[in-house]
Amino acid sequence: QTLSLKAALPAVAANAIEELNFRKASEDRVFDDVACRLLAMALAKNRSVTSVDLSGNDITNAGVEFLADMLED
């Protein structure tokens, strides 16, 4: 099931979720660079998420960099 970022953040913060599916479900639900930044901030302290699906979204190099920087820390 595809989640919204708003719905997933509490579970990410609580380390209560292992897989995140943000696959693009429709034109109305786009995961962009701003969402990547928010996700990276939430994942920075998370120890339970092992998989994130962002396929089909409008993410540029800037969004990818937010996530890559989070992984390096």
Side-chain angles (χ1 to χ4, degrees):
Q1 172 182 348
T2 303
L3 296 172
S4 72
L5 182 59
K6 184 177 179 179
L9 286 179
V12 171
N15 288 303
I17 193 166
E18 292 181 5
E19 296 181 2
L20 294 172
N21 179 2
F22 296 114
R23 186 179 316 120
K24 186 172 182 180
S26 71
E27 291 301 318
D28 295 334
R29 238 169 112 181
V30 176
F31 201 92
D32 59 11
D33 294 337
V34 173
C36 278
R37 184 174 187 199
L38 294 172
L39 178 61
M41 291 174 13
L43 288 173
K45 296 181 182 180
N46 178 279
R47 298 294 173 245
S48 65
V49 173
T50 59
S51 172
V52 179
D53 184 351
L54 298 170
S55 59
N57 285 286
D58 297 330
I59 300 168
T60 69
N61 287 342
V64 172
E65 284 184 35
F66 292 130
L67 295 168
D69 289 346
M70 177 271 308
L71 290 171
E72 288 179 358
D73 292 340

